[in-house]
Amino acid sequence: MLRIAVPNKGSLSGPAADMLHEAGYQQRRESKELRIVDPVNEVEFFYLRPRDIAIYVSSGRLDIGITGRDLLIDSDARAEEILPLGFARSTFRFAAKPGQARGIEDLTGKTVATSYEGIVAKHLVDSGIDASVVHLDGAVETAIELGVAEVVADVVETGTSLRNAGLEVFGEPIMRSEAIVIRRTGADAEDSAEPKVQQFLRRLQGVLVARTYVMMDYDCRVEQLEKAVALTPGLESPTVSPLHNEGWVAVRAMVPAKEAQRIMDDLYEIGARAILTTAIHACRL
């Protein structure tokens, strides 16, 4: 069986389970379950601490895992990203008291407090900056007030918590993270698990596409067909079928979900009618 590590809690857990369910895999019913078997799909899921997943995968005990890019890099494990999943996005930034620093070059000789020592230390080394890094498990914004560090590095979404602590973000982002699928670095392509790994990736890619697109159907006059097709080119080409009423055709095409309303407006303006969209639950491209 394919052995897969899944986050057991935190911001990664729920969305990961939802995506796996959409991909057709059985998921646990209770949060206390640490391992389940999906015999139909020949997969065994292990529910682990998100920070530990990269370590287990790098050991070769598990074939693949779902974790955060930040956690993979911070672990320094011998595992690599093979598919971004588009959820649990976050940005890592430096912050300090106003006027203390404007860029990473101002960190030389300073101490940086963070919960992600591996990420920050690597970033500083790669940037040629000689600075110290102090590891804290949480609430790093208080480190400056208590004199533990002059700078903090943390996940920034709105920046509200940092501003409330009297800090301001500076410099370029350290990194941008999201949920990813990982595999052991140098995993043999001839491994017996390879076909199942590829099938797993295709299923998740199908979910990602299904979430990104909607199916659009509409009727239009034949003389307006070229304009309509220009608005809805589909992936390869739209499906066009003649209607019972002469001079009319039915068109079906996949369109980006974010642009669906605008496209519907534009189709209506050129005379298309009976325009509707439906969700796509699964697909293969």
Side-chain angles (χ1 to χ4, degrees), residues 7-63:
N8 67 345
K9 60 182 179 180
S11 61
L12 291 166
S13 179
D18 291 343
M19 178 169 279
L20 291 169
H21 179 74
E22 289 180 47
Y25 293 103
Q26 178 182 332
Q27 288 298 286
R28 62 181 181 174
R29 296 182 179 180
E30 297 182 4
S31 60
K32 293 181 180 180
E33 293 181 277
L34 301 180
R35 169 185 170 274
I36 68 165
V37 175
D38 181 349
V40 174
N41 293 299
E42 298 183 320
V43 173
E44 190 173 9
F45 291 103
F46 293 83
Y47 297 87
L48 306 170
R49 291 180 67 250
R51 276 190 173 274
D52 296 337
I53 287 176
I55 303 299
Y56 281 105
V57 172
S58 69
S59 73
R61 302 295 182 183
L62 300 178
D63 299 301

Side-chain angles (χ1 to χ4, degrees), residues 21-262:
H21 179 74
E22 289 180 47
Y25 293 103
Q26 178 182 332
Q27 288 298 286
R28 62 181 181 174
R29 296 182 179 180
E30 297 182 4
S31 60
K32 293 181 180 180
E33 293 181 277
L34 301 180
R35 169 185 170 274
I36 68 165
V37 175
D38 181 349
V40 174
N41 293 299
E42 298 183 320
V43 173
E44 190 173 9
F45 291 103
F46 293 83
Y47 297 87
L48 306 170
R49 291 180 67 250
R51 276 190 173 274
D52 296 337
I53 287 176
I55 303 299
Y56 281 105
V57 172
S58 69
S59 73
R61 302 295 182 183
L62 300 178
D63 299 301
I64 51 180
I66 295 176
T67 188
R69 183 180 294 129
D70 53 342
L71 298 176
L72 168 63
I73 295 174
D74 196 58
S75 72
D76 199 30
R78 293 190 68 255
E80 59 188 5
E81 175 180 338
I82 57 175
L83 179 68
L85 298 178
F87 62 85
R89 288 190 171 103
S90 60
T91 303
F92 286 79
R93 305 289 298 267
F94 289 114
K97 290 287 187 182
Q100 293 298 306
R102 291 189 297 177
I104 192 171
E105 64 278 0
D106 296 324
L107 299 185
T108 299
K110 289 183 167 57
T111 300
V112 182
T114 182
S115 298
Y116 295 84
E117 182 180 0
I119 292 175
V120 176
K122 182 178 185 302
H123 184 69
L124 291 171
V125 170
D126 291 346
S127 301
I129 302 299
D130 183 13
S132 301
V133 179
V134 174
H135 177 84
L136 298 175
D137 283 331
V140 297
E141 59 270 17
T142 62
I144 295 178
E145 181 180 353
L146 296 176
V148 174
E150 295 91 2
V151 179
V152 299
D154 202 6
V155 176
V156 177
E157 294 181 3
T158 63
T160 301
S161 61
L162 291 173
R163 285 194 297 272
N164 289 341
L167 307 179
E168 66 177 10
V169 170
F170 66 88
E172 294 297 315
I174 301 168
M175 71 168 296
R176 289 184 171 86
S177 182
E178 65 180 292
I180 58 174
V181 179
I182 64 171
R183 193 175 189 186
R184 179 173 57 85
T185 302
D188 190 350
E190 300 300 321
D191 191 302
S192 59
E194 183 65 17
K196 290 187 176 67
V197 170
Q198 294 306 315
Q199 181 188 67
F200 178 79
L201 295 178
R202 284 194 300 271
R203 287 195 182 192
L204 293 191
Q205 287 167 336
V207 171
L208 292 172
V209 172
R211 290 178 172 183
T212 306
Y213 288 85
V214 294
M215 189 66 73
M216 185 170 289
D217 292 90
Y218 58 90
D219 301 338
C220 76
R221 298 284 304 178
V222 172
E223 56 265 29
Q224 298 297 328
L225 180 58
E226 290 306 313
K227 290 182 180 179
V229 168
L231 293 170
T232 59
L235 298 185
E236 279 79 27
S237 177
T239 299
V240 180
S241 306
L243 292 178
H244 180 70
N245 289 341
E246 188 175 350
W248 284 83
V249 292
V251 183
R252 163 171 280 201
M254 289 172 63
V255 302
K258 291 182 179 179
E259 300 177 22
Q261 292 295 331
R262 177 190 59 78

Side-chain angles (χ1 to χ4, degrees), residues 265-280:
D265 291 337
D266 292 343
L267 287 171
Y268 192 89
E269 288 298 319
I270 65 171
R273 295 296 182 266
I275 309 168
L276 60 91
T277 62
T278 51
I280 301 171

